[in-house]
């Protein structure tokens, strides 16, 4: 069962590209599971160690243009096999966001002011993230660290509603096109 929330991995850098998400040398792998240990192997962020920092995280919070670079489905596959089903960023590369939706990974776009507040308030803490969907289709990202809790609203589009309702993207696309 997919969970859209959980422990957060903060990646405080813009323009993390698909080669940094999963190195090109692993693109010949056809079984998603074989990609698992190589997620973010080539990502360089001061203080970040993919060997120890990724395990157990279910949500990535990052900066602008996540997933830029080559259009490859292996990058969201690597997220998926690591149990990461939610990525929060101000913007995503268009092709990458579509590939995430194909894997039923939720890509939430928050405004830059909210993202700045999230990094300022939570990036240095062990944080949990919950995606809250209200009956009126309003949605928010709720971050919790100890007794500290803040929520950030976002717009939920039809494809995101389909992902959250456990309908897959392909089923959603078939119903619309």
């Amino acid at each position: 069962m997919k969970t859209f929330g959980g422990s957060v991995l903060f990646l405080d850098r813009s323009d993390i590209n698909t080669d940094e998400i999963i190195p090109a040398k692993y693109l010949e792998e056809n079984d998603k599971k074989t990609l698992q240990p190589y997620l973010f192997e080539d990502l360089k962020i001061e203080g970040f160690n993919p060997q120890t920092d990724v395990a157990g995280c279910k949500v990535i919070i990052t900066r602008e243009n996540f997933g830029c670079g080559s259009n490859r489905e292996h990058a969201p596959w690597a997220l998926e096999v690591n149990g990461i089903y939610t990525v929060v960023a101000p913007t995503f590369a268009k092709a990458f966001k579509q590939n995430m939706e194909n894997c039923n990974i939720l890509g939430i776009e928050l405004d830059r002011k909210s993202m700045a507040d999230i990094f300022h308030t939570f990036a240095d803490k062990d944080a949990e993230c919950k995606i809250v969907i209200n009956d009126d289709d309003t949605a928010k990202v709720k971050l919790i660290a100890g007794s500290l809790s803040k929520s950030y609203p976002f717009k939920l589009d039809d494809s995101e509603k389909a992902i959250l309702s456990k309908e897959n993207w392909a089923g959603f696309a078939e119903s619309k096109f």
Side-chain angles (χ1 to χ4, degrees):
M1 180 177 157
K2 293 185 180 182
T3 303
F4 299 99
S7 298
V8 178
L9 172 63
F10 290 94
L11 299 176
D12 194 3
R13 204 189 93 199
S14 297
D15 302 314
I16 295 174
N17 66 56
T18 53
D19 289 321
E20 293 170 309
I21 296 170
I22 190 71
K25 63 187 172 188
Y26 302 114
L27 297 184
E28 293 181 10
E29 303 294 336
N30 291 322
D31 179 16
K32 292 179 186 183
K33 197 73 173 159
T34 61
L35 300 173
Q36 187 173 15
Y38 309 114
L39 179 66
F40 297 125
E41 180 179 271
D42 289 346
L43 180 61
K44 305 294 183 228
I45 298 175
E46 187 176 332
F48 173 70
N49 180 344
Q51 299 292 322
T52 58
D53 295 346
V54 174
C57 291
K58 303 297 179 195
V59 176
I60 293 173
I61 296 181
T62 189
R63 300 292 188 170
E64 289 87 9
N65 204 25
F66 186 73
C68 59
S70 302
N71 178 11
R72 61 175 63 133
E73 59 193 0
H74 291 73
W77 286 359
L79 296 174
E80 181 183 20
V81 299
N82 278 280
I84 298 169
Y85 295 109
T86 308
V87 181
V88 180
T91 59
F92 293 89
K94 185 177 180 179
F96 183 78
K97 188 161 185 190
Q98 179 63 54
N99 286 334
M100 285 186 358
E101 289 176 348
N102 292 343
C103 292
N104 292 328
I105 298 172
L106 186 60
I108 297 172
E109 294 182 4
L110 292 180
D111 62 86
R112 285 173 179 77
K113 183 178 177 185
S114 294
M115 293 303 298
D117 186 66
I118 287 171
F119 274 95
H120 175 75
T121 307
F122 293 98
D124 62 344
K125 298 171 179 57
D126 288 332
E128 292 285 321
C129 177
K130 293 183 180 186
I131 307 305
V132 179
I133 310 300
N134 298 313
D135 290 338
D136 63 357
D137 282 340
T138 59
K140 61 185 172 183
V141 172
K142 182 176 183 178
L143 291 169
I144 305 157
S147 62
L148 180 61
S149 174
K150 280 186 153 184
S151 295
Y152 304 87
F154 68 96
K155 288 186 175 186
L156 194 62
D157 67 25
D158 288 341
S159 62
E160 292 162 338
K161 288 177 195 173
I163 290 170
L164 288 166
S165 70
K166 307 211 182 353
E167 175 185 339
N168 65 30
W169 169 249
F172 168 73
E174 277 183 16
S175 72
K176 296 292 182 186
F177 305 105

